[in-house]
Amino acid sequence: MPHTARQLTITATAVAAAFWLTACGPHQSAPLEHGTVKKKRHDAEISTPIYQDRYRETNCRTVTNALTLTGISRPSTTGGSGGRSRGGSSGGVSKVKPGKPNKLDKNNSNGSSGGSGSRSRTVCDRQYLGRVQTGVHKTPEAWLVLIVKGDRSRWKPVTEAKWRKIKVGDHI
């Protein structure tokens, strides 16, 4: 093992061990509950709308052979090279993003297979219609005080009545 790799491994191991001892060790203290109030903060209620994109199926067609089912015979609007052209030319076949098959044709002759199995499917393109608001996510109002004790600090949630009574510098 090269000298720098060995040093990196030893350093990484030492950092991991130190992290484990401080984060997972038995001397981990509980969250800070009491101390001196340094700051007060009020967070108002926030309402965030939730949206959903709407699409409709268009240009539906029935396809039967395997090449059409994989989308190779359809032109693409996604762009890019399909890997068939080499060199500096920009020509070639575009990579195709096939439509999602949504139905199987149930009219095959009494379940008998015809060799390679000529199944047909209906394939449709999706047309973007727009966004619709489907709901609202609400974050409730919060009253917080920053308490400090030694080198530790914590934003502690309190009730509105307690928040209004507490002054910066109070010991709680």
PDB file of all heavy atoms in Angstrom, residues 55-72:
ATOM      1  N   TYR A  55     -52.111  15.092 -17.549  1.00  0.00           N
ATOM      2  CA  TYR A  55     -51.816  14.653 -18.901  1.00  0.00           C
ATOM      3  C   TYR A  55     -53.069  14.008 -19.502  1.00  0.00           C
ATOM      4  O   TYR A  55     -53.974  13.610 -18.777  1.00  0.00           O
ATOM      5  CB  TYR A  55     -50.703  13.592 -18.907  1.00  0.00           C
ATOM      6  CG  TYR A  55     -49.391  14.085 -18.363  1.00  0.00           C
ATOM      7  CD1 TYR A  55     -49.083  13.962 -17.010  1.00  0.00           C
ATOM      8  CD2 TYR A  55     -48.454  14.673 -19.192  1.00  0.00           C
ATOM      9  CE1 TYR A  55     -47.882  14.419 -16.501  1.00  0.00           C
ATOM     10  CE2 TYR A  55     -47.242  15.122 -18.702  1.00  0.00           C
ATOM     11  CZ  TYR A  55     -46.967  14.989 -17.354  1.00  0.00           C
ATOM     12  OH  TYR A  55     -45.765  15.445 -16.869  1.00  0.00           O
ATOM     13  N   ARG A  56     -53.097  13.899 -20.828  1.00  0.00           N
ATOM     14  CA  ARG A  56     -54.130  13.112 -21.478  1.00  0.00           C
ATOM     15  C   ARG A  56     -53.465  12.253 -22.539  1.00  0.00           C
ATOM     16  O   ARG A  56     -52.408  12.604 -23.063  1.00  0.00           O
ATOM     17  CB  ARG A  56     -55.217  13.985 -22.085  1.00  0.00           C
ATOM     18  CG  ARG A  56     -54.811  14.671 -23.335  1.00  0.00           C
ATOM     19  CD  ARG A  56     -55.968  15.366 -23.986  1.00  0.00           C
ATOM     20  NE  ARG A  56     -55.457  16.074 -25.151  1.00  0.00           N
ATOM     21  CZ  ARG A  56     -56.203  16.648 -26.026  1.00  0.00           C
ATOM     22  NH1 ARG A  56     -57.505  16.633 -25.893  1.00  0.00           N
ATOM     23  NH2 ARG A  56     -55.662  17.263 -27.058  1.00  0.00           N
ATOM     24  N   GLU A  57     -54.085  11.124 -22.829  1.00  0.00           N
ATOM     25  CA  GLU A  57     -53.549  10.230 -23.846  1.00  0.00           C
ATOM     26  C   GLU A  57     -54.013  10.715 -25.211  1.00  0.00           C
ATOM     27  O   GLU A  57     -55.172  11.063 -25.401  1.00  0.00           O
ATOM     28  CB  GLU A  57     -54.015   8.808 -23.604  1.00  0.00           C
ATOM     29  CG  GLU A  57     -53.403   8.194 -22.372  1.00  0.00           C
ATOM     30  CD  GLU A  57     -53.796   6.740 -22.194  1.00  0.00           C
ATOM     31  OE1 GLU A  57     -54.762   6.288 -22.838  1.00  0.00           O
ATOM     32  OE2 GLU A  57     -53.138   6.068 -21.398  1.00  0.00           O
ATOM     33  N   THR A  58     -53.081  10.753 -26.160  1.00  0.00           N
ATOM     34  CA  THR A  58     -53.385  11.216 -27.500  1.00  0.00           C
ATOM     35  C   THR A  58     -52.608  10.367 -28.499  1.00  0.00           C
ATOM     36  O   THR A  58     -51.662   9.682 -28.129  1.00  0.00           O
ATOM     37  CB  THR A  58     -53.025  12.716 -27.664  1.00  0.00           C
ATOM     38  OG1 THR A  58     -53.388  13.140 -28.966  1.00  0.00           O
ATOM     39  CG2 THR A  58     -51.577  12.981 -27.423  1.00  0.00           C
ATOM     40  N   ASN A  59     -52.998  10.401 -29.750  1.00  0.00           N
ATOM     41  CA  ASN A  59     -52.325   9.680 -30.811  1.00  0.00           C
ATOM     42  C   ASN A  59     -52.242   8.187 -30.491  1.00  0.00           C
ATOM     43  O   ASN A  59     -51.194   7.571 -30.594  1.00  0.00           O
ATOM     44  CB  ASN A  59     -50.930  10.274 -31.043  1.00  0.00           C
ATOM     45  CG  ASN A  59     -50.295   9.781 -32.332  1.00  0.00           C
ATOM     46  OD1 ASN A  59     -50.992   9.318 -33.237  1.00  0.00           O
ATOM     47  ND2 ASN A  59     -48.985   9.876 -32.411  1.00  0.00           N
ATOM     48  N   CYS A  60     -53.363   7.606 -30.072  1.00  0.00           N
ATOM     49  CA  CYS A  60     -53.387   6.182 -29.731  1.00  0.00           C
ATOM     50  C   CYS A  60     -53.387   5.335 -30.992  1.00  0.00           C
ATOM     51  O   CYS A  60     -53.979   5.698 -32.002  1.00  0.00           O
ATOM     52  CB  CYS A  60     -54.629   5.849 -28.895  1.00  0.00           C
ATOM     53  SG  CYS A  60     -54.619   6.630 -27.283  1.00  0.00           S
ATOM     54  N   ARG A  61     -52.692   4.209 -30.949  1.00  0.00           N
ATOM     55  CA  ARG A  61     -52.605   3.315 -32.087  1.00  0.00           C
ATOM     56  C   ARG A  61     -52.402   1.888 -31.587  1.00  0.00           C
ATOM     57  O   ARG A  61     -51.873   1.678 -30.500  1.00  0.00           O
ATOM     58  CB  ARG A  61     -51.475   3.708 -33.023  1.00  0.00           C
ATOM     59  CG  ARG A  61     -50.123   3.717 -32.373  1.00  0.00           C
ATOM     60  CD  ARG A  61     -49.285   4.870 -32.905  1.00  0.00           C
ATOM     61  NE  ARG A  61     -48.103   5.061 -32.091  1.00  0.00           N
ATOM     62  CZ  ARG A  61     -48.024   5.860 -31.037  1.00  0.00           C
ATOM     63  NH1 ARG A  61     -49.069   6.531 -30.633  1.00  0.00           N
ATOM     64  NH2 ARG A  61     -46.903   6.004 -30.383  1.00  0.00           N
ATOM     65  N   THR A  62     -52.824   0.933 -32.400  1.00  0.00           N
ATOM     66  CA  THR A  62     -52.654  -0.475 -32.067  1.00  0.00           C
ATOM     67  C   THR A  62     -51.408  -0.969 -32.772  1.00  0.00           C
ATOM     68  O   THR A  62     -51.248  -0.759 -33.970  1.00  0.00           O
ATOM     69  CB  THR A  62     -53.878  -1.293 -32.516  1.00  0.00           C
ATOM     70  OG1 THR A  62     -55.031  -0.747 -31.893  1.00  0.00           O
ATOM     71  CG2 THR A  62     -53.735  -2.741 -32.121  1.00  0.00           C
ATOM     72  N   VAL A  63     -50.517  -1.599 -32.016  1.00  0.00           N
ATOM     73  CA  VAL A  63     -49.282  -2.117 -32.591  1.00  0.00           C
ATOM     74  C   VAL A  63     -49.248  -3.619 -32.372  1.00  0.00           C
ATOM     75  O   VAL A  63     -49.764  -4.128 -31.393  1.00  0.00           O
ATOM     76  CB  VAL A  63     -48.047  -1.446 -31.955  1.00  0.00           C
ATOM     77  CG1 VAL A  63     -47.980   0.015 -32.343  1.00  0.00           C
ATOM     78  CG2 VAL A  63     -48.045  -1.576 -30.470  1.00  0.00           C
ATOM     79  N   THR A  64     -48.612  -4.329 -33.327  1.00  0.00           N
ATOM     80  CA  THR A  64     -48.613  -5.775 -33.226  1.00  0.00           C
ATOM     81  C   THR A  64     -47.237  -6.408 -33.259  1.00  0.00           C
ATOM     82  O   THR A  64     -47.048  -7.468 -32.694  1.00  0.00           O
ATOM     83  CB  THR A  64     -49.441  -6.397 -34.368  1.00  0.00           C
ATOM     84  OG1 THR A  64     -48.916  -5.948 -35.603  1.00  0.00           O
ATOM     85  CG2 THR A  64     -50.898  -6.037 -34.236  1.00  0.00           C
ATOM     86  N   ASN A  65     -46.241  -5.808 -33.926  1.00  0.00           N
ATOM     87  CA  ASN A  65     -44.963  -6.508 -34.004  1.00  0.00           C
ATOM     88  C   ASN A  65     -44.021  -6.055 -32.891  1.00  0.00           C
ATOM     89  O   ASN A  65     -44.200  -5.009 -32.282  1.00  0.00           O
ATOM     90  CB  ASN A  65     -44.321  -6.355 -35.380  1.00  0.00           C
ATOM     91  CG  ASN A  65     -43.912  -4.937 -35.677  1.00  0.00           C
ATOM     92  OD1 ASN A  65     -43.805  -4.114 -34.786  1.00  0.00           O
ATOM     93  ND2 ASN A  65     -43.686  -4.646 -36.946  1.00  0.00           N
ATOM     94  N   ALA A  66     -43.011  -6.840 -32.625  1.00  0.00           N
ATOM     95  CA  ALA A  66     -42.104  -6.611 -31.501  1.00  0.00           C
ATOM     96  C   ALA A  66     -41.303  -5.321 -31.658  1.00  0.00           C
ATOM     97  O   ALA A  66     -41.069  -4.621 -30.680  1.00  0.00           O
ATOM     98  CB  ALA A  66     -41.149  -7.795 -31.343  1.00  0.00           C
ATOM     99  N   LEU A  67     -40.896  -4.966 -32.884  1.00  0.00           N
ATOM    100  CA  LEU A  67     -40.122  -3.745 -33.066  1.00  0.00           C
ATOM    101  C   LEU A  67     -40.950  -2.510 -32.737  1.00  0.00           C
ATOM    102  O   LEU A  67     -40.467  -1.570 -32.121  1.00  0.00           O
ATOM    103  CB  LEU A  67     -39.598  -3.648 -34.499  1.00  0.00           C
ATOM    104  CG  LEU A  67     -38.505  -4.642 -34.862  1.00  0.00           C
ATOM    105  CD1 LEU A  67     -38.117  -4.484 -36.331  1.00  0.00           C
ATOM    106  CD2 LEU A  67     -37.298  -4.444 -33.980  1.00  0.00           C
ATOM    107  N   THR A  68     -42.199  -2.518 -33.125  1.00  0.00           N
ATOM    108  CA  THR A  68     -43.061  -1.377 -32.830  1.00  0.00           C
ATOM    109  C   THR A  68     -43.345  -1.300 -31.334  1.00  0.00           C
ATOM    110  O   THR A  68     -43.430  -0.222 -30.767  1.00  0.00           O
ATOM    111  CB  THR A  68     -44.375  -1.484 -33.617  1.00  0.00           C
ATOM    112  OG1 THR A  68     -44.063  -1.650 -34.987  1.00  0.00           O
ATOM    113  CG2 THR A  68     -45.216  -0.240 -33.444  1.00  0.00           C
ATOM    114  N   LEU A  69     -43.469  -2.434 -30.661  1.00  0.00           N
ATOM    115  CA  LEU A  69     -43.742  -2.435 -29.222  1.00  0.00           C
ATOM    116  C   LEU A  69     -42.600  -1.831 -28.431  1.00  0.00           C
ATOM    117  O   LEU A  69     -42.804  -1.213 -27.398  1.00  0.00           O
ATOM    118  CB  LEU A  69     -44.015  -3.854 -28.718  1.00  0.00           C
ATOM    119  CG  LEU A  69     -45.367  -4.435 -29.106  1.00  0.00           C
ATOM    120  CD1 LEU A  69     -45.462  -5.876 -28.636  1.00  0.00           C
ATOM    121  CD2 LEU A  69     -46.498  -3.625 -28.517  1.00  0.00           C
ATOM    122  N   THR A  70     -41.378  -1.950 -28.939  1.00  0.00           N
ATOM    123  CA  THR A  70     -40.242  -1.371 -28.219  1.00  0.00           C
ATOM    124  C   THR A  70     -40.019   0.080 -28.596  1.00  0.00           C
ATOM    125  O   THR A  70     -39.173   0.734 -28.017  1.00  0.00           O
ATOM    126  CB  THR A  70     -38.951  -2.171 -28.489  1.00  0.00           C
ATOM    127  OG1 THR A  70     -38.691  -2.158 -29.883  1.00  0.00           O
ATOM    128  CG2 THR A  70     -39.053  -3.575 -27.956  1.00  0.00           C
ATOM    129  N   GLY A  71     -40.743   0.586 -29.580  1.00  0.00           N
ATOM    130  CA  GLY A  71     -40.654   1.994 -29.917  1.00  0.00           C
ATOM    131  C   GLY A  71     -39.609   2.330 -30.954  1.00  0.00           C
ATOM    132  O   GLY A  71     -39.354   3.493 -31.197  1.00  0.00           O
ATOM    133  N   ILE A  72     -39.013   1.354 -31.612  1.00  0.00           N
ATOM    134  CA  ILE A  72     -37.943   1.635 -32.564  1.00  0.00           C
ATOM    135  C   ILE A  72     -38.488   2.275 -33.830  1.00  0.00           C
ATOM    136  O   ILE A  72     -37.842   3.101 -34.434  1.00  0.00           O
ATOM    137  CB  ILE A  72     -37.151   0.349 -32.885  1.00  0.00           C
ATOM    138  CG1 ILE A  72     -36.396  -0.077 -31.642  1.00  0.00           C
ATOM    139  CG2 ILE A  72     -36.205   0.554 -34.040  1.00  0.00           C
ATOM    140  CD1 ILE A  72     -35.682  -1.378 -31.765  1.00  0.00           C
TER     141      ILE A  72
END
